[in-house]
Amino acid sequence: MRRNAKLLLLLCVLLSLPATVTASTFIHMTPRQLIAESAAVVLGEVLTVNSYWDASGQIIETEALVRVHETLIGDAGAVAVVRTWGGTVGGYTIEAHGFPEFQVGARVLLFLSDERNGAAQVVGYRLGQYRIGHDRTGAEVAIPTFEAASAGLVAREGQAAPPRPYRLEEFKTFLRAEAARTARHAH
């Protein structure tokens, strides 16, 4: 009896502790779905990253300027302004798990929304953001920034597979062909 009381007390203490949740849940989007939801798909380099408090003073937002090297679908200017949630201002950091993050100098492929309030957003959050790297042979690869461990991926129907890397030239060819198939403006 005494042992059961101790176990019950321990269980109550554990249940009363605050749980730290470090994940967000996102609906899975395939590259085809990302194309359908995007105003533009661009390949570029991050020029600047600036985090700031929003007008309410309660949310940190980050704005990145991306030099567009190539517009694959839609229309984009020479520099895209991309805004997302999270970032660091002073000693305060807000981590927005599953939302895009930017680093100056990084090469990226982005699925972008229409601009609102002077900036676009990445469609599908990190599902619509790829960094450009190289494989073992030196070929350029579009690598998903979506981290399955830090954010949940829920399929619209059935099981969702995490995004995979693509050889960049093959991915660009696929994106353009898919845009042409769906009567989107491809470059």
Side-chain angles (χ1 to χ4, degrees):
M1 185 74 143
R2 193 174 222 178
R3 182 177 174 183
N4 288 342
K6 286 181 180 179
L7 287 174
L8 183 60
L9 178 62
L10 178 61
L11 181 62
C12 288
V13 169
L14 289 174
L15 290 174
S16 68
L17 293 174
T20 302
V21 178
T22 61
S24 301
T25 301
F26 298 94
I27 301 290
H28 180 263
M29 294 179 77
T30 66
R32 283 187 172 98
Q33 292 166 324
L34 289 167
I35 291 168
E37 299 287 327
S38 298
V41 179
V42 301
L43 183 61
E45 179 184 348
V46 179
L47 298 173
T48 64
V49 178
N50 180 42
S51 297
Y52 55 89
W53 291 101
D54 75 342
S56 72
Q58 297 178 346
I59 298 172
I60 294 177
E61 295 180 335
T62 294
E63 190 171 276
L65 297 181
V66 178
R67 177 183 297 129
V68 176
H69 293 280
E70 190 174 354
T71 301
L72 304 171
I73 298 171
D75 293 312
V79 175
V81 179
V82 184
R83 195 172 294 141
T84 190
W85 289 310
T88 300
V89 177
Y92 297 96
T93 297
I94 293 183
E95 291 184 27
H97 294 280
F99 288 79
E101 293 179 1
F102 296 95
Q103 294 179 337
V104 172
R107 292 187 56 226
V108 292
L109 186 144
L110 302 172
F111 293 81
L112 298 175
S113 68
D114 281 322
E115 282 194 22
R116 291 191 183 148
N117 299 322
Q121 292 185 326
V122 176
V123 174
Y125 307 99
R126 279 199 188 171
L127 289 168
Q129 179 187 34
Y130 289 76
R131 69 178 176 80
I132 307 304
H134 294 87
D135 67 11
R136 286 182 239 137
T137 68
E140 288 187 309
V141 180
I143 303 162
T145 62
F146 185 84
E147 298 168 0
S150 68
L153 189 59
V154 178
R156 295 173 197 253
E157 296 176 18
Q159 186 65 28
R164 66 179 187 84
Y166 298 92
R167 287 238 169 155
L168 182 58
E169 288 305 316
E170 293 170 8
F171 198 34
K172 288 168 37 175
T173 299
F174 165 78
L175 295 172
R176 289 181 176 123
E178 185 61 23
R181 188 184 73 74
T182 59
R184 296 288 313 270
H185 182 66
H187 293 268

